[in-house]
Amino acid sequence: MIKQLLFSVVLLAALTAKAQDQQPYHAYDPAADAKEGIRKAVARAKKENKHVLVQIGGNWCIWCARFDQFSKTDRSVDSILKQSYVVYHLNYSKENKNQPVLASYGFPQRFGFPVFLVLDKDGKRIHTQNSGYLEQGKGYSAEKVSDFLINWTPDALKPEKYKE
């Protein structure tokens, strides 16, 4: 009886986790003009003295959905993003691979999905991040993601912070 109950609880937890991974996800717009979307994000970043975090992936990508959910529910990560970044979701799918835009940033899709670009307030790429290094189990490490984001904020890159 106890074994059956335990098995049922484990099975229910596994099915619930799988169901969460299969929820409809629509952060990416295959019809969006990525070049224009990035231009707008850069303009906003310049106005707000932030950087742009470009999350490249697609609605088909489970790890993209996991990161999106994680970044909105982890208070520390959400706070860093809101304080220092303008986030733009750049679509990569069979409908629209955005090849010209990705080529202009050095083919970041080579790292898999999602992959992140950090652009400064002038739109210059200052970092490409392989998201695999930020993973932990079937999700993301709050410590690794926070460390990545903090190290690429406008404040972290101020030259005066590094004068002797």
Side-chain angles (χ1 to χ4, degrees), residues 7-66:
F7 176 76
S8 297
V9 169
V10 170
L11 181 61
L12 181 61
L15 291 174
T16 301
K18 185 157 180 74
Q20 287 175 340
D21 279 351
Q22 294 176 344
Q23 294 295 319
Y25 177 65
H26 302 289
Y28 297 89
D29 180 0
D33 179 340
K35 190 174 181 179
E36 179 62 13
I38 290 171
R39 187 197 66 73
K40 287 179 179 178
V42 167
R44 182 175 155 210
K46 188 171 201 125
K47 183 178 177 182
E48 298 176 11
N49 196 31
K50 296 180 177 183
H51 283 163
V52 177
L53 180 70
V54 180
Q55 181 179 328
I56 304 166
N59 296 324
W60 52 267
C61 170
I62 190 61
W63 283 97
C64 300
R66 287 176 182 169

Side-chain angles (χ1 to χ4, degrees), residues 32-160:
D33 179 340
K35 190 174 181 179
E36 179 62 13
I38 290 171
R39 187 197 66 73
K40 287 179 179 178
V42 167
R44 182 175 155 210
K46 188 171 201 125
K47 183 178 177 182
E48 298 176 11
N49 196 31
K50 296 180 177 183
H51 283 163
V52 177
L53 180 70
V54 180
Q55 181 179 328
I56 304 166
N59 296 324
W60 52 267
C61 170
I62 190 61
W63 283 97
C64 300
R66 287 176 182 169
F67 185 83
D68 194 54
Q69 178 68 22
F70 167 78
S71 68
K72 292 175 181 171
T73 57
D74 183 280
R75 280 196 209 152
S76 176
V77 170
D78 183 55
S79 176
I80 297 165
L81 285 170
K82 286 179 177 171
Q83 182 178 359
S84 299
Y85 294 92
V86 172
V87 178
Y88 178 74
H89 289 83
L90 190 154
N91 182 76
Y92 182 94
S93 67
K94 62 183 177 183
E95 298 87 8
N96 184 359
K97 292 185 178 182
N98 280 303
Q99 293 287 20
V101 174
L102 295 176
S104 74
Y105 290 113
F107 309 100
Q109 68 270 36
R110 70 187 184 276
F111 296 112
F113 301 99
V115 61
F116 305 104
L117 299 178
V118 179
L119 310 179
D120 69 12
K121 64 183 178 181
D122 296 316
K124 178 183 169 204
R125 177 176 54 105
I126 56 176
H127 183 66
T128 301
Q129 179 65 48
N130 178 336
S131 67
Y133 298 134
L134 308 175
E135 295 173 7
Q136 182 175 307
K138 288 194 178 253
Y140 288 91
S141 162
E143 183 180 345
K144 291 176 185 177
V145 172
S146 294
D147 188 51
F148 153 60
L149 293 172
I150 288 168
N151 281 303
W152 291 100
T153 62
D155 188 59
L157 299 178
K158 288 181 179 175
E160 60 270 18

